[in-house]
Amino acid sequence: MLNQFTLIGRIARQPSLQTTREGISYTRFTLAVRRHFKNQAGQYDTDFVQLISWNKVAERIADFCSKGSLVSVNGRIQMRSFEVEKEKRLTVPDVVAENVTFLQMKKMTDGTPSHEKVPIPSPPLPSSEEESPSN
């Protein structure tokens, strides 16, 4: 069995680092993910996915991401239950971000965040040995 997802999208609002009563760091953030197909009006719809990250991943998101940052997220779905009324429990899914790859990071310039694209390496050029056939 497999419980895993991958999403690529932009952070919809400024993430903030929070701490539980036990001292564990976490960040709740929303990822705007564009669908890969057009609707009947010829437009791309966007899904806003609520995620949570813990510990070092949460700290890195708060440190290096801002609203509009482009990220790739890998994680899992985890069910959480809590009591809403006496003898009444509610179960909701948590979308847990376990690994976040920064595709676009925030950069501080004069105290104002701006975005800097992370360069994607191009494939290596073939060497002269690979270009000429062997005899």
Side-chain angles (χ1 to χ4, degrees), residues 52-65:
I52 187 167
S53 58
W54 296 94
N55 301 316
K56 292 290 183 187
V57 175
E59 293 169 13
R60 289 188 181 118
I61 290 169
D63 288 344
F64 296 106
C65 293

Side-chain angles (χ1 to χ4, degrees), residues 17-20 22 24-29 52-61 76 78 80 94-98:
L17 187 65
Q18 299 177 5
T19 307
T20 65
E22 295 81 23
I24 300 169
S25 301
Y26 72 97
T27 301
R28 286 195 182 274
F29 63 102
I52 187 167
S53 58
W54 296 94
N55 301 316
K56 292 290 183 187
V57 175
E59 293 169 13
R60 289 188 181 118
I61 290 169
R76 62 186 163 80
Q78 176 179 305
R80 175 174 47 106
D94 271 341
V95 183
V96 181
E98 295 179 323

Side-chain angles (χ1 to χ4, degrees), residues 17-96:
L17 187 65
Q18 299 177 5
T19 307
T20 65
R21 289 183 217 132
E22 295 81 23
I24 300 169
S25 301
Y26 72 97
T27 301
R28 286 195 182 274
F29 63 102
T30 302
L31 196 65
V33 180
R34 189 178 83 169
R35 294 184 186 173
H36 68 279
F37 55 89
K38 294 181 180 180
N39 60 20
Q40 290 180 341
Q43 302 294 318
Y44 290 102
D45 288 326
T46 301
D47 294 306
F48 292 88
V49 182
Q50 304 287 326
L51 296 115
I52 187 167
S53 58
W54 296 94
N55 301 316
K56 292 290 183 187
V57 175
E59 293 169 13
R60 289 188 181 118
I61 290 169
D63 288 344
F64 296 106
C65 293
S66 61
K67 179 180 176 179
S69 294
L70 183 64
V71 295
S72 172
V73 179
N74 299 79
R76 62 186 163 80
I77 308 295
Q78 176 179 305
M79 300 308 289
R80 175 174 47 106
S81 295
F82 55 94
E83 193 169 317
V84 289
E85 295 175 10
K86 189 174 183 177
E87 297 184 27
K88 191 170 186 179
R89 296 195 65 77
L90 182 62
T91 302
V92 296
D94 271 341
V95 183
V96 181

